[in-house]
Amino acid sequence: MTDFVGRRRELKELREDIARTGLDTLSGRKAKSPRARVLLVAGRPGSGRTALAEALVREIAEEYPDGVLRVRLTAPTGESVATERAVRTLLEGLGQPTPPGAGEDDLSSALRTALADRRMVLLVDDASDPHQVDALLPDTPECLVVVTSEGPLTGIPDVRPCTLGGLDTPSAVRMLVQRIGDIRAANDPRAAEALAEECGGQPAALALAGGWLAARPKASVADVGKQLHDMPAGVGGPLARAFRLVYESLPQPAQRTLRLLPLAPAGLVDSHVASALAGCSVAAAQATLEDFAALGLLRPAHDGLYLLPGCLAPLLQALLEAKERPAEVQLARARMLERTVRLLLSCRAMAEPDEDGPGGAVGAPEKLDGVPRALRFADRRAAETWLNTRLPALLAAASLAVADGELDTLARRFVAALARALSEHRGTAGAAPELYGLHRLVLDVAERRDLYREQAAALLNLADLDAETGRTREALDRYRAALDAGKAANDPYASGRAMESVGGAHQELGDWHRASDWFGRALSHALARGERADEARLYGRLGNVHTYAGRYGDALRSWRAASAGYRKLADVPGQAKALSEMARIQEYAGRPEESLHTCREAVELARKAGDLRLQAALQVRLADTLDRLGDPAAARLHRSAADRLLGDDPAACEIRSVSD
């Protein structure tokens, strides 16, 4: 990365702008709220607006001890970043939770609350819409917001843009010297000045011209200036001319790789993406990317990632459309998505638990049999780093996978692989915001295409996330919609799962009557299909609801049926737990002798199942029952047995009070 040069006047103006009196105050009006000062750096793509903003942030960093947050509002390929996604990025940078499914207003409020007691800088890059920026503004004058944009952002009060043109000639020459060294510039200073003027002082054009010269030590500065000057008038401005100079100097395979880079999601490229797009080896792709970075065609990011400069994206897109056939473009996209699916499967395998111990340590090599070495990760940490650093590109690729409105095999596999990798590495709760977005993406496509099976699956997944984050009523609405979609798709699994989930939502809301009704419908559905495992589980859920409602007779009948179902399935732990619940209900109903008998039967089954915690809980229940029956000596024996089973387990206190 080259050092920042020039722009001293602009930096001075921006620094002065931080402390200036607001326009409202000058006009005699009071500001509506003590919001953060907003500084706007405006300029065309390639003018160095981001570099200037970063230079300003470096100069004032000590004045804002709580640090800098960065977010980009436009992808290099030109698409706007959703405001919700931008706010989440900032909240994640602050280490704040981002509830899945939360709306833009709630997230913006959470961001303002998180920034209320901080003194920070927010660097908001490439804004195209004042609404995007307004949603991010802190309600505290202790924070500073630095925004870059192509033009003025009308609608944000009290902002005077710092508008950039080209660099002055001395600064432009210094930028060239950083690329090519001072000898060639000193040998012909007039040629260096002429080249700077030919590039219009535009930093992106200067970077390309300097990169071309750096790759050709024997070429003269004057020669480059002449080539740029002699290009036909129709080529375009300084940036287009410098780009054409560099592009036409590349070998044919490298030209084609460069043309395909606009297909990279979010403008983020690594050796795997380039290899899949171009159909070459990973090693060859890596060497090509390094060459591109040296020429100024890409910007190195981190962890092997490169960023496609937004100012070059339109030029590359035009080349892509002019020189590549649509079928070849589609094939390149498919290769890239397929490669990413395989990397996601490899990433997930490194986090999955093994029979012999924690995930990734023992079993991963066996899980990856047949996967090329280039697609494997060294360990779980390497896989997790890859997932985290590529996540913006992976989420953009998910949108790309379903962009045509079809949920074909590759799109389904991609979304499923990404969701599973996130769940394995972050856990369902940690990955919930991203999972919510993925399922909503699938739902949008499924609804547009009347794909009822996919609608049902997406609605169930979204409702589960709603339920896990306490939005039970929203979950209930989605479960009902999933039931309708499951019936329309004639999908018995989705229909049964939706019925049970509707019952679970009513149970969470304390509506025992509706909960038992829906569990009963789900049970009838399972009985009709002969799904014995579902039958046993649903009898248990009915038993729980009847217990909460105080209907002990109905609860006992349900748990007896559950116990019988688990016995037929040879599910000893399930049967033991069902008998344990029966014993509890018998005690609630004032039948301690029956409870004692049932509890002893459950203990024997728990012993067969090897479930120490259940054995201990049952021993405590036996002791409590014996106390009520007037046999304290036997009760002490059972409590001692529970202590021996658990030892110093910190959960023992919970188990000892299980019957309270």
Side-chain angles (χ1 to χ4, degrees), residues 180-189 192 213-221:
I180 66 175
D182 56 4
I183 295 177
R184 279 192 283 182
N187 285 341
D188 195 348
L213 278 167
R216 293 163 180 78
K218 295 184 179 180
S220 70
V221 177

Side-chain angles (χ1 to χ4, degrees), residues 92-113:
E92 289 163 7
L94 290 166
Q96 298 292 314
T98 56
E104 180 185 312
D105 290 344
D106 291 337
L107 290 170
S108 293
S109 177
L111 177 63
R112 293 186 175 109
T113 300

Side-chain angles (χ1 to χ4, degrees), residues 35 70-75 79-92 98 102-109 111-112 122 124-137 440:
R35 303 187 85 178
R70 292 174 173 83
V71 67
R72 187 182 179 93
L73 298 186
T74 304
E79 301 89 357
S80 292
V81 174
T83 304
E84 177 189 319
R85 179 67 257 174
V87 181
R88 285 187 186 279
T89 298
L90 293 173
L91 284 168
E92 289 163 7
T98 56
E104 180 185 312
D105 290 344
D106 291 337
L107 290 170
S108 293
S109 177
L111 177 63
R112 293 186 175 109
L122 273 64
V124 181
D125 197 14
D126 210 0
S128 59
D129 181 348
H131 173 73
Q132 288 179 299
V133 178
D134 188 67
L136 311 179
L137 295 182
R440 196 158 55 185

